[in-house]
Every structure is written in C-alpha cells, then in structure tokens.
Amino acid sequence: MEAELIVRMLEKMEIIDVNQMIEEFESTTKDAGRVQIETLKKILEENGSAEYLKNLGLNGSTDPESFKACVPLVTHEDLEPYIHRIADGDTSPILTGKAITTISLSSGTTQGKPKFVPFNDELMETTMQIYRTSFAFRNREFPVGNGKALQFIYSSKQFKTKGGLNAGTATTNVYRNSQFKEGMKGIQSQCCSPDEVIFGPDFHQSLYCHLLCGLIFREEIQLVFSTFAHSLVHSFRTFELVWEELCADIREGILSSRITVPSIRTAMSKILKPDPELADLIHKKCSGLSNWYGLIPELFPNAKYIYGIMTGSMEPYLKKLRHYAGDIPLMSGDYGSSEGWIGANVNPKLPPELATFAVLPNIGYFEFIPLRESVEDQVLVIEPKPVGLTEVKVGEEYEIIVTNVAGLYRYRLGDVVKIMGFHNSTPELKFVCRRNLMLTINIDKNTENDLQVAVEEAAKVLAEEKLEVVDFTSHVDLSTDPGHYVIFWEINGEVQFHEEALQECCNCLDQSFLDAGYISSRKVNAIGPLELRVLQKGTFQKILDHYLGLGAAVSQFKTPRCVSLANNTVLQILCVNVAKNYYSTAFR
C-alpha cells in the first residue's frame, strides 16, 4: 500500500475501533503458519528485483524452502557494504525493489557507534500496526478518554547521508513521519506538548517543557509514556530538581530563562498563562509527599497507566518507577528494535517483569535458532537449524531471525527470547537478553541478565542502608593478570558513610554470578577478584550527554551494560569519575 493511501486511511479513521482491531488480530494469529508463508511471498515478490536476492539465485521463488536454501543467515556486518552503498546515493534496487529513502540509526550503546538500518514506508506501516494492536488490548482493559498523553518523546536531528538520504534515530524517523501524528489521534495518544518541544534541538529544554505542559494540562492527562523506562525515571528525577521553578513559571505565566530556543519559547507562550491557583496546588502536593512516593498520581490524578519498554535492560529502573507511580499500573511497551517490530503486548495486565509479546505474523517473516547446547561433531560445532514461527516450543530459548519489509533477509537480531506460550497459533515471547552482551574472560559466560540479577542481589544490601543504585554498567579488565570483572555503580548517597556496606556489596556481586565457569575460574584464581567502582554523582548523566552529543535521541537511549575497550570514550568517562573502588574477598 502506498504511503499516501495509508495517511488518507488514518485521517478518516478518527478513533480506532478497539473490538475490530482485536478481531483482526485474533483472525491473523489463528493461522499464523499460513500468514507467515503469505508474508514471505509478499516480501520476496515486492523485492525480487533487488540485487542482493538476485545474486543469491532465488530466481523469483517465494516459498520458504527455496528462501532458506538460497539465502544465508546474516549479521549486520554482512549487510553493511550494501547499506553504505544505499546511504552513499546508489538508487539501484540493492536490498529492496523500491529505493530506500531514509536510514535509521540504532542507539549505538552496544558497540559505541550507531548502525545504519534501512527504513521505508512499509516499515512505518508495520510500526503503526503494532501501535494500534497493543492500544486495542490496552484500551479494553484500561479505557482512556479523549484527553491527552504526557509523552516524554524527543526527536534528534536528522542529517543527510553522503547520498542525500535523511538519517536519524529510529524514533526520530517515526515521529517525523506523516503517518505518526494521524496514528496517534487514532489511538487517543496525542502528546500534550507542542511539536516544537518534541523536535527541539536541546534535550534538557525539551524535558523541562514536557514537564511544564504536563502540569498545565494535569487534569486532562490520561497516560504517561516514554519509549524506555530509563527516560521515565530520568524525567521524574529531573522534576525533583526543578519543580519549584516550574511552579514559578505557572504562577507568573512567564517561561524560565533556562529555555533559550526561540521556537520553543514561542510555542510555550501560547500555552503558558498566569495561574497562581494551579501553582499553589502543585506546590502543596509536592510539599506533602514523603520522599516523592506516588508523585505521578498526585500530579496527574486522571492518569490510567504508565507505558514504555520496561523489559530487559530496563528492568533495573522499575523499582524507582513504581516509587513514583504509586498505585498507577506500569505497562510494558511492545517488542522491537531499530530493525523493526516483532510483537505486541496483548496481556497488558501482566506486570512488566512477566510481560510477553505476541508475534504479529503479518509484519515480517520470523525464524528462531534454538539455544540448546550445540552438537559437537568431532572438531565442528554445529549450530541448530532455525525453526519456523509456529514450530517453537514452550519453555525453550531462541535467538530471533528477522526478514522484514525494508531489505533485511534472515537477519540475526542478536536477541534471546523465551517462549512462554501461544496466542492462538502465534508464540508469546519473553525477552531474555542480548546474545552478544557477554562478560567472559576464561570459560565463564555471563549475560546481561546474569549481571542484572547480581546487581539486584547486591542492591538489597544497599537498601538496608536506605540507599539505591541509580545506574550501573560493567567492563572486563584484561590489563590485570588474571583478568577480572569491573562493576560500575552510581548510588544516591555519600560513599564515605557506607564503606562497610559497599565492601559487602562487592562480595555479594562476586558471589551472585552463578555461571559454573565463573565460579570454578574464581576458585582457582583464573579470574581475579571482582572490583566494584563507585562513581561520582552525575556520571551516568555525562554518559547520556555524550550520546546526545553524537546525535542520539534520549528516547532511544539505553545505558550500555557492558563497556568494551572499543567504546573508549564511555570507558574514559567512567574511569575518571570513580569515587572509590572495592575488591571482593569472597573467594579467599
């Protein structure tokens, strides 16, 4: 379907029919196997003229067997030469039949630099389909009225590639797409902030104005949203620092001098009027809170839920977010990546830690590599063959392979998921971790999830001191012999008053890595004592500012959980901001 037709369709569709959307989803997922074959056929027919597919000898075949026989599994590295040709201006059909006109940038927090990913109108339509589907299930359980949404969303600058293509973060490409705004009307999620705030050039000024708009429209706010839980927590931590200034703006009707961008000042002047009564009310509510518990329902009494991606590397922020949320439900957003969407949260009542995502079988073609132990055949290690969407088994873990509408074919996403069940005949996935984020020195293999579990265990010791971990990351230090794990923590208290507890935390971290290879290596000193480096306050803000300076959007930012030597600038920020370090005595 052409983009113009989609936009016209969305313009007519004032508010989506929730029941109809759910019926469509039920119908699509009842025969997911057939829908997958049709989806692959459509993708290959539309892109049959692409050089990449032609060179692999598909010769117009569109069936799964021929596709798997001819097209290899690939990583992003394999496709980079083709994507760079597109970015450099080659308009011939390289990966897709129609020319790619936009490039998405991944967050870049994993490898230290963003990846270029093709983006097109067809991928935008799958994005809106995910949004509409999950909204339908959310709205059935938590109906929102015709109000507004406090959305902490930000658009980084788009730039032109060498070949003149627009390039920006995946979220920026979505927010700037003409379908987005109409789609948000259709799912009653219109942002309370003007476009000038969303598209403002300075994140800190945009955040301040998002908070101000939320307060001005506080009675109309039906839901609170940001792409990631990290951004939600960051927003309300910022509110703690600037709330009195926000009240002064509302009382006087004059915008703070901290807002210097002319377009933002002009847009805000149309919204901000003197309202001493509202300023007094907000001041009274904030002053009456105990350690900011229940801040969000106090500020926004009609908010039905708080929404954003809260799984995987976002789980560590849930405790603080719940503190702010009080009794407002937290709801995990849908499952996808810069490369495209995969599943919708159709069980919105589940807490984020238990969130599952039903794969939409008509938005891409999906395969799954089983992660059971590889079969060793003499010298060769044979990786299990991928299985289809409907062939996965409940309780098993898999790596996802994606074929999408924007020129990615049998693309290894690098995500590990667990099959929790089925919705009709489509699987419901739980995100486990990134496969390539691995702490390893010897025979040890600790994933992002293992790191998270260890930090949560050690944070319990800190909680007894009425402290919390603001954020964390890790590094494998091979400059020592033997090498050892380094865990970086930023905490919300003064280090010198909690030396004993922090030493205990360090030991607890070391003992909480339960991987057999790690434990045995530590016992024989093949891996050295774990080191906990406690950081100065504001260190993770400096890391965020570094990525913003590279053009990242804060709504797409994820704290890197494992920082390698290749990510030298971030490692340097961490190392120069160490307040105190501790070495584990757990395996003496």
Side-chain angles (χ1 to χ4, degrees):
M1 190 181 288
E2 294 295 320
E4 295 77 18
L5 282 175
I6 297 166
V7 173
R8 283 203 293 274
M9 178 184 78
L10 286 168
E11 283 171 348
K12 289 175 190 168
M13 180 189 70
E14 307 224 333
I15 302 296
I16 71 162
D17 184 327
V18 165
N19 293 327
Q20 186 187 333
M21 268 313 300
I22 291 174
E23 276 176 32
E24 284 177 20
F25 174 79
E26 295 293 346
S27 172
T28 306
T29 56
K30 271 176 184 159
D31 195 356
R34 178 185 57 79
V35 174
Q36 278 281 275
I37 291 169
E38 288 173 0
T39 303
L40 179 63
K41 184 179 183 215
K42 186 182 174 192
I43 290 170
L44 296 178
E45 281 177 348
E46 288 178 358
N47 300 301
S49 60
E51 172 194 320
Y52 180 77
L53 292 177
K54 275 186 165 180
N55 288 349
L56 291 169
L58 259 181
N59 297 323
S61 297
T62 60
D63 60 284
E65 293 72 29
S66 302
F67 176 64
K68 291 173 190 176
C70 296
V71 179
L73 299 176
V74 295
T75 62
H76 193 269
E77 206 175 7
D78 298 317
L79 294 184
E80 267 184 336
Y82 300 95
I83 296 170
H84 280 293
R85 278 174 56 200
I86 294 167
D88 289 347
D90 188 335
T91 56
S92 64
I94 296 171
L95 289 172
T96 52
K98 284 194 293 185
I100 293 286
T101 56
T102 310
I103 295 291
S104 282
L105 306 174
S106 71
S107 63
T109 50
T110 304
Q111 303 298 334
K113 61 175 185 177
K115 295 182 295 193
F116 277 27
V117 180
F119 184 90
N120 59 9
D121 289 335
E122 290 77 12
L123 201 59
M124 183 66 203
E125 170 52 17
T126 66
T127 300
M128 294 315 301
Q129 190 184 342
I130 285 272
Y131 285 179
R132 291 192 295 266
T133 301
S134 60
F135 170 77
F137 282 92
R138 271 200 319 279
N139 213 51
R140 185 170 69 175
E141 303 292 349
F142 303 93
V144 296
N146 202 14
K148 296 181 185 293
L150 172 55
Q151 297 187 322
F152 295 102
I153 56 176
Y154 311 88
S155 170
S156 65
K157 287 178 187 173
Q158 284 183 316
F159 65 90
K160 295 284 185 186
T161 67
K162 187 177 167 186
L165 274 64
N166 284 327
T169 61
T171 48
T172 296
N173 290 336
V174 168
Y175 298 151
R176 288 189 177 276
N177 193 289
S178 57
Q179 296 178 50
F180 177 72
K181 206 162 196 181
E182 293 305 325
M184 289 300 103
K185 285 180 192 170
I187 62 175
Q188 297 166 292
S189 299
Q190 283 181 280
C191 186
C192 66
S193 305
D195 284 356
E196 289 82 357
V197 171
I198 298 168
F199 296 107
D202 183 291
F203 154 67
H204 301 285
Q205 294 186 40
S206 291
L207 169 53
Y208 184 89
C209 291
H210 277 317
L211 290 167
L212 185 56
C213 291
L215 295 176
I216 292 167
F217 296 111
R218 67 182 293 268
E219 295 283 346
E220 296 174 62
I221 299 299
Q222 298 275 312
L223 62 103
V224 179
F225 167 83
S226 190
T227 309
F228 288 124
H230 169 272
S231 180
L232 288 164
V233 169
H234 185 271
S235 300
F236 289 104
R237 283 192 195 276
T238 302
F239 180 87
E240 289 185 35
L241 302 175
V242 301
W243 70 277
E244 289 176 299
E245 196 174 337
L246 290 163
C247 285
D249 290 2
I250 293 169
R251 181 172 282 108
E252 304 297 328
I254 299 167
L255 189 59
S256 165
S257 59
R258 71 164 66 216
I259 309 303
T260 57
V261 177
S263 60
I264 296 180
R265 290 197 71 88
T266 302
M268 290 301 295
S269 69
K270 295 171 187 171
I271 299 169
L272 181 62
K273 305 292 181 234
D275 194 339
E277 195 179 322
L278 176 59
D280 289 343
L281 176 68
I282 293 164
H283 198 283
K284 184 182 175 184
K285 286 187 174 296
C286 290
S287 302
L289 290 172
S290 171
N291 194 26
W292 300 101
Y293 177 80
L295 171 64
I296 297 173
E298 281 297 318
L299 295 180
F300 314 110
N302 297 310
K304 305 292 192 303
Y305 55 84
I306 298 162
Y307 182 59
I309 293 170
M310 300 181 186
T311 52
S313 60
M314 293 299 124
E315 277 193 33
Y317 306 107
L318 290 179
K319 185 180 177 187
K320 189 67 176 178
L321 189 53
R322 282 201 173 97
H323 181 81
Y324 288 132
D327 56 4
I328 299 181
L330 301 186
M331 212 174 294
S332 191
D334 307 305
Y335 171 41
S337 64
S338 301
E339 290 85 356
W341 291 97
I342 292 158
N345 183 354
V346 299
N347 300 302
K349 282 191 167 179
L350 287 176
E353 293 90 342
L354 301 176
T356 60
F357 308 97
V359 180
L360 270 64
N362 59 342
I363 62 170
Y365 184 73
F366 303 102
E367 299 170 75
F368 298 81
I369 300 176
L371 288 188
R372 58 180 179 268
E373 289 300 312
S374 299
V375 180
E376 291 194 17
D377 180 23
Q378 294 172 349
V379 185
L380 294 174
V381 176
I382 302 165
E383 186 171 61
K385 282 186 178 176
V387 298
L389 181 70
T390 58
E391 297 166 335
V392 293
K393 293 177 181 173
V394 174
E396 298 280 321
E397 291 188 357
Y398 298 86
E399 181 189 349
I400 298 190
I401 309 296
V402 174
T403 296
N404 75 5
V405 290
L408 301 183
Y409 308 99
R410 306 198 81 197
Y411 180 96
R412 298 182 79 139
L413 204 57
D415 285 0
V416 175
V417 296
K418 186 173 185 177
I419 310 302
M420 305 306 291
F422 281 84
H423 188 106
N424 295 323
S425 62
T426 199
E428 292 193 350
L429 318 174
K430 178 176 169 60
F431 178 84
V432 176
C433 64
R434 293 281 297 163
R435 191 172 186 180
N436 59 351
L437 274 177
M438 196 82 76
L439 287 165
T440 181
I441 292 172
N442 189 11
I443 56 170
D444 50 313
K445 286 190 174 80
N446 281 301
T447 65
E448 177 184 357
N449 193 50
D450 297 323
L451 170 64
Q452 188 175 308
V453 168
V455 169
E456 284 169 2
E457 279 302 310
K460 290 174 185 173
V461 176
L462 211 57
E464 291 171 13
E465 304 273 311
K466 296 192 167 37
L467 293 176
E468 62 187 41
V469 178
V470 173
D471 217 333
F472 66 93
T473 188
S474 65
H475 170 64
V476 170
D477 188 348
L478 299 176
S479 66
T480 59
D481 186 19
H484 69 287
Y485 290 7
V486 178
I487 311 297
F488 295 94
W489 272 13
E490 184 178 327
I491 62 172
N492 66 337
E494 299 304 321
V495 175
Q496 64 266 32
F497 301 127
H498 305 280
E499 296 269 14
E500 200 175 312
L502 286 165
Q503 180 60 57
E504 194 181 334
C505 288
C506 181
N507 291 353
C508 184
L509 281 165
D510 205 4
Q511 290 170 314
S512 296
F513 286 104
L514 301 179
D515 170 66
Y518 182 77
I519 294 169
S520 60
S521 297
R522 281 288 288 116
K523 283 178 177 174
V524 299
N525 203 34
I527 294 176
L530 180 141
E531 181 183 0
L532 172 61
R533 296 185 191 174
V534 183
L535 301 164
Q536 294 169 10
K537 285 182 184 174
T539 302
F540 281 95
Q541 178 65 50
K542 290 177 183 175
I543 291 170
L544 171 60
D545 290 340
H546 161 69
Y547 282 109
L548 294 178
L550 294 177
V554 73
S555 51
Q556 202 168 330
F557 175 77
K558 291 176 283 194
T559 298
R561 291 296 180 220
C562 185
V563 180
S564 68
L565 284 172
N567 205 346
N568 183 48
T569 308
V570 172
L571 194 56
Q572 208 169 353
I573 294 169
L574 290 164
C575 292
V576 300
N577 284 283
V578 175
K580 190 75 192 280
N581 57 349
Y582 302 86
Y583 287 91
S584 168
T585 57
F587 287 85
R588 279 185 180 174

